[in-house]
Amino acid sequence: EDLDFPLDAVELTPGSMATADIQIEKSKQVNLQIYLETTGSVSPDETRLAHIRPLSRGIVEQVYVRRGDRVEQGQPLVFYDNIELGELIGEYLSDLALVQNERAQLEVTEKFLERGRELLEAQAIAKKEVELREAEYKKAQAGINRQQAELAKIHEKLHRYGLTDEEIEELGVEAHSKDHRTASHKTLRAPFSGVIIGYDVAEGELVGADRELLTLVDVSSVWVLADVYEKDLGLIRTGQMVDVLTAAYPDRVFRGDLTNISDLLERETRTARVRCIVPNPDGALKLEMFVTVKIPSTRRTLAVAVPESAVQNVEGQNVIFIEEGNGRFHKQVVTTGLNADGWIAIDGLAEGTPVVTQGSFYLKSALQRETIGSDHAH
């Protein structure tokens, strides 16, 4: 029944030692940063929100997106008939027709005046008659100036609805066809790439400029909001880098910047809300996701620690491998403490203990093989 050595020990030949690339480091006193750990959730960055509204009253004809859709900058979102723009286009075309009439009238009075001046030179007409023709011409000129000023005002309003000079000019060309009726149809587009998080629109609805149809958020950067207890507020400050951990990506650490600590405490929980800005270029952090936030505190503590790579997990327990000499190592189950700056504090470990840093995974595998071998022996 007795084995040559206990099941928590591993013995390696010099050849295996070289293969495993075993490296040893002694445990030492390390001045570790104390981290404050709290839970939080992912929220949209409110500086990267767009509230999509129609320019004015209109009827929604088509909605191209749904809540949760990811959209690209410039992508069409909603197609609608802008009633006020339609009325304004009608006004513009009506004024344009008046200007054209006034121009025609001006040409007639101008020719009539020129003819009168010729007749006056030939003394075939009275001077008073020419003066009357001059008054008619000036009146026609004033009429066209007034009408053009009105047209310029409407032109400016059309610009505010997003029409370009070319599109406005086109209205005049299309006035004789029925195509100008489609000019009031407008497409609302995404101002930037992001995700639709708010949705309050249906086809056929009459909507106004005060109505928010869609909310778009750029998720390439997100806010992580967490709560810190009143007693711990003195340990943190803005400008610190924080670590954000998720259940979805256990091996990944998201780094963020603590930008705001609320001035208002929650009465029931005695906590203050903290805000961290976290870059999210690949969209891995989803809105409303629960996260753990590790905030470096202003406190440090001395502890005997080993490099992170020395600690392995064997059957749910944290273990380290201690060198005994001559290629022999024994496993020791440990209780870990603070984990900071690449070091892990180990409760009750003597300073200067030689532990395996590189190659500890190899030892863990070797130990498991021997354990299986001993099970078969029974």
Side-chain angles (χ1 to χ4, degrees), residues 44 48-50 52 65-75 77 189-198 215-222 280-281 283 287:
R48 292 167 178 254
L49 274 179
I52 313 292
V65 291
R66 291 288 175 264
R67 191 174 189 274
D69 283 1
R70 188 175 278 272
V71 298
E72 297 302 317
Q73 183 173 357
Q75 188 174 322
L77 306 175
R189 297 179 182 275
F192 49 75
S193 301
V195 174
I196 303 293
I197 61 165
T215 311
L216 175 69
V217 62
D218 173 7
V219 290
S220 63
S221 168
V222 291
N280 188 34
L287 298 179

Side-chain angles (χ1 to χ4, degrees), residues 130-144:
V130 175
E131 284 168 357
L132 278 171
R133 291 184 186 192
E134 273 178 351
E136 281 296 314
Y137 176 69
K138 281 177 183 169
K139 187 180 169 188
Q141 246 182 346
I144 200 166

Side-chain angles (χ1 to χ4, degrees), residues 19 24 41 81 90 123 180 184 190 207 238 250 282 313 348 358 370:
T19 306
I24 309 295
S41 61
D81 185 3
Q123 294 183 340
H180 71 269
S184 62
V207 293
T238 56
D282 61 350
N313 191 289
Q358 195 165 306
E370 281 165 9

